[in-house]
Structures are given as structure tokens and as C-alpha cells.
């Protein structure tokens, strides 16, 4: 990892739409990772335990992919420590979603985990950008 100063860069290619598409691609990879890990863990643990454990692993995956692919910033210790704040909101949305779908609606936990993960994406993008880049403004070229 690098220092905060060394880690600051601007997105130079793709514009805001490209950034959103990269975020969606990273999100897809992360969602598939979460789902595979969840399914494997759910074979021998309750669904909420499997959900929490899969989510924790995917925080790390998401951090490095979002730094490198989505926002083009270097992974710093400061960003790494702050990044779980973005996932806290996502975790709450997903946990409530899984619980409501399973307990309230009677949905299969495997389907509920996937649906709740997809529903959390837009909020997760905004919070991730604020924490990793520091603002919501988008720069199309170097200053």
C-alpha cells in the first residue's frame, strides 16, 4: 500500500459513465464471489452466519478491486481502514433484506441473499466513491 498523498489520482479514461460501468463490473464480480462463498458456507452454517462471513471476505475483495479498477486510486492503509464504513450501510441493507425476505416472505435464503445484494448497489457506489476518492465530483482528465 502507499501513503495517502501517493494514492490520490483522478480518473482519466471513461468519464462518469465509464466509472459506473466499472463499478457495476466490480460489483458483479463481488456479488458472484459473495454468492459462491455464501453457498459454500451455508452448507454447514446457518444462513445469517454464512452471510456475515461471506460479506467480510468480500469487503477485502471489493476494496482492492474498487481501488484498482473503478476509481483508479492506490490502496492506502487509510482507505483500507475507512472502506468498511461504506460496507456497513451495505451490510445493514443486505442483512435487513435477507431477514425480511426469509423470515417475512418465506423466500429461500439462497435467493434472498442474492436479491438483497443487488438491491444495495446504488447506495454502495455513492458511499464507496466518497470514501475512496473523497468527493462525488468526477474529473475526466488530470488537473
Amino acid at each position: 500500500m502507499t501513503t495517502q498523498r501517493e494514492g490520490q489520482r483522478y480518473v482519466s479514461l471513461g468519464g462518469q459513465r465509464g466509472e459506473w460501468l466499472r463499478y457495476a463490473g466490480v460489483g458483479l464480480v463481488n456479488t458472484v464471489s459473495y454468492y459462491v462463498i455464501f453457498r459454500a458456507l451455508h452448507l454447514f452454517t446457518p444462513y445469517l452466519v454464512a452471510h456475515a462471513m461471506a460479506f467480510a471476505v468480500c469487503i477485502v475483495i471489493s476494496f482492492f478491486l474498487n481501488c484498482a479498477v473503478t476509481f483508479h486510486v492506490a490502496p492506502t492503509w487509510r482507505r483500507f481502514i475507512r472502506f468498511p464504513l461504506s460496507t456497513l450501510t451495505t451490510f445493514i441493507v443486505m442483512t435487513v433484506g435477507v431477514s425480511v425476505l426469509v423470515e417475512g416472505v418465506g423466500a429461500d435464503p439462497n435467493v434472498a441473499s442474492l436479491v438483497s445484494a443487488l438491491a444495495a448497489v446504488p447506495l454502495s457506489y455513492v458511499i464507496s466513491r466518497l470514501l475512496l476518492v473523497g468527493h462525488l465530483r468526477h474529473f475526466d482528465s488530470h488537473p
Side-chain angles (χ1 to χ4, degrees):
M1 293 201 191
T2 62
T3 66
Q4 178 70 20
R5 182 176 292 251
E6 292 169 336
Q8 183 63 44
R9 292 190 292 157
Y10 295 97
V11 175
S12 61
L13 296 174
Q16 191 166 5
R17 180 175 178 211
E19 183 177 275
W20 173 251
L21 290 174
R22 290 188 306 273
Y23 184 80
V26 165
L28 180 62
V29 168
N30 205 45
T31 300
V32 169
S33 299
Y34 162 80
Y35 192 62
V36 168
I37 295 166
F38 172 84
R39 290 294 302 261
L41 293 171
H42 187 51
L43 294 173
F44 57 89
T45 63
Y47 73 91
L48 283 178
V49 173
H51 163 68
M53 292 172 68
F55 197 86
V57 169
C58 288
I59 288 172
V60 176
I61 294 169
S62 181
F63 170 74
F64 285 105
L65 287 176
N66 276 303
C67 282
V69 176
T70 304
F71 301 116
H72 299 277
V73 295
T76 64
W77 283 110
R78 182 173 186 217
R79 287 184 176 124
F80 186 73
I81 291 168
R82 287 175 29 173
F83 189 71
L85 294 174
S86 71
T87 59
L88 178 61
T89 303
T90 305
F91 181 77
I92 292 169
V93 168
M94 288 178 66
T95 302
V96 168
V98 167
S99 297
V100 166
L101 290 171
V102 171
E103 304 296 330
V105 180
D108 181 299
N110 296 315
V111 174
S113 66
L114 186 59
V115 169
S116 65
L118 294 173
V121 170
L123 180 61
S124 179
Y125 169 77
V126 170
I127 295 170
S128 294
R129 188 172 214 304
L130 285 171
L131 290 172
L132 294 178
V133 178
H135 53 77
L136 290 176
R137 294 183 318 259
H138 189 273
F139 296 98
D140 290 328
S141 61
H142 293 281

